[in-house]
């Protein structure tokens, strides 16, 4: 059947393998942080917050900053976290004293600025909130009297942040506009449209070019997804909080959802393009064209478009067109299908993805850096990681071991989404991909039955009810 993807999935999950002797290990003297073989495995939320805070002679590791900022939102809202960080800095560095210890603050200043810079660069969406900006500015006002350069640093940070947020919201608006335009068109097409409908081959007849333009769309959409959306998609109530989930207002996952919608649109677009032509020979031609496009996507490392194309071809209105498929050279299609075969938890795909990820690490050109994962599988993996292990251990400690694994998966994705698309953009093709009308599921069946009439009673009944 059709393969629209959803954000959650509740088949089986395996709990993370925790080492049984975790709780017997001695607490490291670092204020309540528990280490196992040199890795931080668990701690109280307070201890983790303290570990994030720079001092005159300490700065947290980059990996720790990312992991904690990513996962902390399951326990505490970002504005509250920043408020506590600033508050502790003020206490520890005595920033409330009438006379400041300038020498001391000159050692501390660059470190707190660095932390705030990393936060704004990696999680810019956190700073859409006034309160966040308020805490930033307050911090600067306190340390700036000790060094003129801090004002300049701060202005730079705010400018960069504003630009980033402007770019992101501009991109989001564009996507919202497109999505709105498209959903109207979905409804309009219950039956075969008049022949004025342009088809994909008249817009782009070269599979290589289409694969490149699909890669443009994918990278553009990926660039808007904030790392925190992966965590926010699965926010549950924190049992220790007792009152409310940390994200009582809307769950901030709109870019993630828009991206899943794009995948579904591409599935339906492929199916529509195949079911539309009246002649069997043309339909076969469209199928072969998409097989070539899918193969180019595979070569580029664009697994999301590849999977959407295969899913579109596997939708039953398309797969039932036996006479059409008999005209297609299917060998290439079976190779691709084999690559994306779900058996063994997508073993073949995961192997290909690791290959692409490895190529990306050693790449010299942006062209070789491209890795666009099959997105709903990535979400599913993160979902199972989240469902399979508790956020907190029985003693109330934050299960940091789990969040390191989460940060590893999300961190890899962050690297991939930052690749600049190396291909020239063709606005005409991209516009078509976003706005060409597509059939609803009923429309697809109607078009399919009109192309090759129903084979059995079930199909005949369905056709009758549709007409």
């Amino acid at each position: 059947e059709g393969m629209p993807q959803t954000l959650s999935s509740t088949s089986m999950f395996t709990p993370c393998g925790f080492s049984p002797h975790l709780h017997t290990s001695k607490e490291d003297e670092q204020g309540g942080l528990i280490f196992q073989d040199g890795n931080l495995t668990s701690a109280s939320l307070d201890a983790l917050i303290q570990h994030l805070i720079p001092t005159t002679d300490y700065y947290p590791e980059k990996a720790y900053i990312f992991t904690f900022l990513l996962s902390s939102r399951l326990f505490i809202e970002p504005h509250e976290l920043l408020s506590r960080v600033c508050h502790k800095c003020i206490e520890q560095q005595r920033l409330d004293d009438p006379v400041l210890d300038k020498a001391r603050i000159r050692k501390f200043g660059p470190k707190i600025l660095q932390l705030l810079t990393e936060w704004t660069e990696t999680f810019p969406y956190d700073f859409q909130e006034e309160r966040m900006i308020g805490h930033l500015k307050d911090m600067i006002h306190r340390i700036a009297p000790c060094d003129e350069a801090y004002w300049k640093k701060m202005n730079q940070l705010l400018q960069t942040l504003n630009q980033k947020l402007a770019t992101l919201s501009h991109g989001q608006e564009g996507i919202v506009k497109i999505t709105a335009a498209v959903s109207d068109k979905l409804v309009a097409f219950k039956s075969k449209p008049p022949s004025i409908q342009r088809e994909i081959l008249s817009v782009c007849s070269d599979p290589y070019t289409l694969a490149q333009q699909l890669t443009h769309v994918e990278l553009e959409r990926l660039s808007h997804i904030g790392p925190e959306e992966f965590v926010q998609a699965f926010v549950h109530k924190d049992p220790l909080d007792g009152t409310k989930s940390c994200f009582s207002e809307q769950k901030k996952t709109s870019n993630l959802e828009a991206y899943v919608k794009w995948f579904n649109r591409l599935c339906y677009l492929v199916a529509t393009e195949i079911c539309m032509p009246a002649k069997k020979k043309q339909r076969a031609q469209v199928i072969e064209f998409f097989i070539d496009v899918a193969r180019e996507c595979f070569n580029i490392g664009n697994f999301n478009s590849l999977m959407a194309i295969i899913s579109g071809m596997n939708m039953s209105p398309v797969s039932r067109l036996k006479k059409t498929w008999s005209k297609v050279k299917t060998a290439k299609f079976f190779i691709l299908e084999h690559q994306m075969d779900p058996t063994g938890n997508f073993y073949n795909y995961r192997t290909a993805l690791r290959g692409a990820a490895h190529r990306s690490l050693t790449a010299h050109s942006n062209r070789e850096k491209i890795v666009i994962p099959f997105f709903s599988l990535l979400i599913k993996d993160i979902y199972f990681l989240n469902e399979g292990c508790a956020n907190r251990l029985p003693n109330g400690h934050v299960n940091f071991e789990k969040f390191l694994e989460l940060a590893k998966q999300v961190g890899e994705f962050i690297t991939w989404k930052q690749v600049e698309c190396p291909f020239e953009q063709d606005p005409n093709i991209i516009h078509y991909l976003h706005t060409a009308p597509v059939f609803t599921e009923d429309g697809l069946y109607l078009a399919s039955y009109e192309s090759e009439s129903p084979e059995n009673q079930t199909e005949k009944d369905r056709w009758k009810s549709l007409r």
Side-chain angles (χ1 to χ4, degrees):
E1 271 307 350
M3 285 223 358
Q5 305 296 335
T6 53
L7 282 185
S8 68
S9 160
T10 41
S11 45
M12 49 185 203
F13 50 77
T14 48
C16 303
F18 290 122
S19 33
H21 45 275
L22 180 65
H23 303 296
T24 56
S25 65
K26 287 202 290 289
E27 284 209 7
D28 213 49
E29 62 289 345
Q30 288 192 20
L33 301 175
I34 294 180
F35 287 83
Q36 187 77 36
D37 307 323
N39 296 317
L40 177 58
T41 51
S42 77
S44 68
L45 185 59
D46 283 340
L48 290 170
I49 293 174
Q50 185 58 59
H51 196 52
L52 179 72
I53 294 170
T55 63
T56 48
D57 47 14
Y58 163 75
Y59 189 75
E61 286 176 19
K62 208 176 174 69
Y64 176 77
I65 296 173
F66 177 66
T67 305
F68 184 60
L69 289 180
L70 178 68
S71 54
S72 61
R73 57 202 67 241
L74 289 168
F75 309 99
I76 179 173
E77 288 191 47
H79 72 88
E80 194 163 322
L81 176 61
L82 185 54
S83 162
R84 282 175 67 174
V85 167
C86 293
H87 195 75
K88 289 197 166 179
C89 287
I90 292 165
E91 250 173 36
Q92 289 166 13
Q93 304 304 326
R94 299 199 286 278
L95 297 177
D96 268 343
D97 286 6
V99 179
L100 295 175
D101 177 347
K102 288 195 175 182
R104 177 189 177 118
I105 289 170
R106 281 202 190 102
K107 278 187 190 162
F108 165 74
K111 295 199 174 78
I112 187 68
L113 279 169
Q114 175 63 27
L115 180 70
L116 295 172
T117 304
E118 282 189 51
W119 194 336
T120 54
E121 280 173 356
T122 320
F123 299 94
Y125 289 122
D126 284 353
F127 293 85
Q128 281 172 318
E129 248 196 280
E130 273 307 302
R131 287 181 284 191
M132 293 290 282
I133 302 289
H135 295 315
L136 272 186
K137 290 183 171 165
D138 176 58
M139 196 67 221
I140 281 304
H141 280 286
R142 290 171 184 277
I143 63 171
C146 299
D147 196 328
E148 276 298 295
Y150 295 163
W151 288 117
K152 218 169 116 184
K153 270 269 175 55
M154 183 62 178
N155 276 331
Q156 251 172 339
L157 183 149
L158 287 172
Q159 252 177 330
T160 314
L161 179 65
N162 281 332
Q163 278 168 337
K164 199 157 189 177
L165 285 173
T167 314
L168 289 168
S169 75
H170 178 70
Q172 276 177 308
E173 279 160 28
I175 284 174
V176 169
K177 274 196 201 110
I178 286 169
T179 315
V182 166
S183 53
D184 300 341
K185 294 222 169 92
L186 256 174
V187 189
F189 268 24
K190 288 286 191 283
S191 62
K192 276 207 174 177
S195 55
I196 50 167
Q197 159 79 4
R198 282 202 304 172
E199 81 288 298
I200 188 78
L201 288 169
S202 68
V203 181
C204 175
S205 56
D206 173 36
Y208 193 66
T209 307
L210 187 60
Q212 292 186 343
Q213 298 310 305
L214 285 167
T215 304
H216 248 294
V217 175
E218 298 277 355
L219 286 171
E220 158 71 18
R221 284 174 169 254
L222 279 183
S223 70
H224 298 299
I225 298 174
E228 70 283 356
E229 293 192 40
F230 289 102
V231 175
Q232 281 154 201
F234 309 120
V235 167
H236 297 309
K237 259 172 78 115
D238 182 0
L240 286 192
D241 184 19
T243 46
K244 59 182 179 61
S245 149
C246 301
F247 280 84
S248 40
E249 351 93 72
Q250 28 64 311
K251 279 211 275 186
K252 309 179 172 93
T253 54
S254 51
N255 300 299
L256 201 118
E257 287 160 34
Y259 190 51
V260 173
K261 277 194 185 123
W262 150 253
F263 179 93
N264 292 336
R265 168 168 170 81
L266 184 52
C267 292
Y268 276 91
L269 180 65
V270 168
T272 300
E273 296 285 348
I274 295 170
C275 291
M276 203 132 50
K279 293 195 171 66
K280 180 167 62 193
K281 192 178 149 194
Q282 287 171 298
R283 289 194 298 274
Q285 191 190 355
V286 177
I287 291 178
E288 291 195 332
F289 172 70
F290 274 119
I291 292 172
D292 288 337
V293 175
R295 197 167 63 159
E296 288 308 333
C297 286
F298 180 84
N299 293 337
I300 288 171
N302 177 357
F303 297 105
N304 202 50
S305 293
L306 163 66
M307 196 56 165
I309 294 171
I310 293 175
S311 304
M313 290 181 170
N314 280 329
M315 285 172 85
S316 18
V318 178
S319 59
R320 67 170 291 280
L321 298 170
K322 309 265 186 316
K323 295 176 183 135
T324 304
W325 280 96
S326 71
K327 295 253 172 287
V328 174
K329 300 187 206 61
T330 47
K332 283 191 289 193
F333 181 60
F334 292 138
I335 292 171
L336 288 171
E337 249 198 334
H338 177 67
Q339 282 296 347
M340 303 310 271
D341 178 13
T343 29
N345 193 8
F346 287 92
Y347 179 80
N348 297 344
Y349 157 70
R350 290 179 192 277
T351 308
L353 179 70
R354 273 200 303 275
H358 185 72
R359 172 186 75 185
S360 177
L361 283 175
T362 55
H364 297 299
S365 68
N366 274 350
R367 171 74 186 71
E368 296 169 316
K369 273 191 194 138
I370 298 170
V371 185
I372 300 169
F374 169 30
F375 193 64
S376 40
L377 188 60
L378 176 70
I379 290 180
K380 210 166 161 178
D381 286 348
I382 289 175
Y383 177 80
F384 286 140
L385 172 64
N386 192 56
E387 286 294 300
C389 342
N391 288 339
R392 293 198 191 250
L393 301 174
N395 64 0
H397 272 192
V398 170
N399 180 356
F400 205 71
E401 200 172 8
K402 164 180 174 173
F403 295 120
L404 282 168
E405 184 52 43
L406 182 73
K408 203 169 85 186
Q409 295 193 13
V410 176
E412 196 168 29
F413 168 79
I414 300 297
T415 315
W416 296 337
K417 85 179 184 104
Q418 285 166 344
V419 175
E420 290 264 327
C421 191
F423 310 119
E424 206 172 321
Q425 203 171 358
D426 184 320
N428 200 12
I429 299 174
I430 288 184
H431 181 74
Y432 184 86
L433 288 171
H434 281 315
T435 58
V438 294
F439 285 133
T440 56
E441 197 165 355
D442 286 351
L444 281 174
Y445 273 108
L446 261 175
S448 177
Y449 295 143
E450 280 170 35
S451 299
E452 295 186 20
S453 46
E455 301 260 298
N456 54 41
Q457 202 46 52
T458 320
E459 291 195 344
K460 283 179 186 148
D461 294 344
R462 179 153 198 179
W463 197 21
K464 211 163 108 184
S465 78
L466 283 173
R467 282 185 304 177

